[in-house]
Amino acid sequence: MSPQSLTITIDPAAAEAPFEQVRTQIADQARTGTLPVGHKLPTVRGLAEDLGLAANTVAKAYRALETDGVIETRGRNGSFVAAAGDAADKEAAAAAAAYAHRAQRLGLDRTAALAAVTDALRATYDSGA
């Protein structure tokens, strides 16, 4: 099965801002392998034109993706899909460690700390956020 090209659909009626829709869809396609590591993304202007968005909207999404380690920008050569899974795993582990230390400083025992995480995960994943 060969990977597909970038496919993004913007829903103007969605509660999610257009830049977040772009960010989420690219991140999801990179995570699932639809966009393989090294895949060259369209230019900011090109994608903005294709989607009917302002260039600044797409640029904001690309900056967020770069911050998250999903894409990397190689100057004039363009933007490419990075090894998103590795970056996401590392960031999640760092966030989990920071939470564990904070929960301990707050005096929560393991059961209470885990319950707080479980509630937060349920609220986030079950709400479709």
Side-chain angles (χ1 to χ4, degrees), residues 5 17 22 24 28 41 50 87 117 125:
S5 62
V22 171
T24 300
D28 288 348
L41 296 172
D50 289 348
V117 168
Y125 284 89

Side-chain angles (χ1 to χ4, degrees), residues 27-81:
D28 288 348
Q29 291 177 49
R31 187 182 66 253
T32 62
T34 301
L35 295 176
V37 172
H39 179 86
K40 185 174 183 177
L41 296 172
T43 64
V44 167
R45 287 183 187 179
L47 184 57
E49 187 176 302
D50 289 348
L51 298 175
L53 298 173
N56 285 341
T57 300
V58 174
K60 184 175 182 181
Y62 275 27
R63 283 191 303 272
L65 288 162
E66 191 164 21
T67 298
D68 292 344
V70 176
I71 68 171
E72 58 186 10
T73 301
R74 302 177 190 160
R76 292 190 161 275
N77 291 323
S79 297
F80 299 82
V81 174

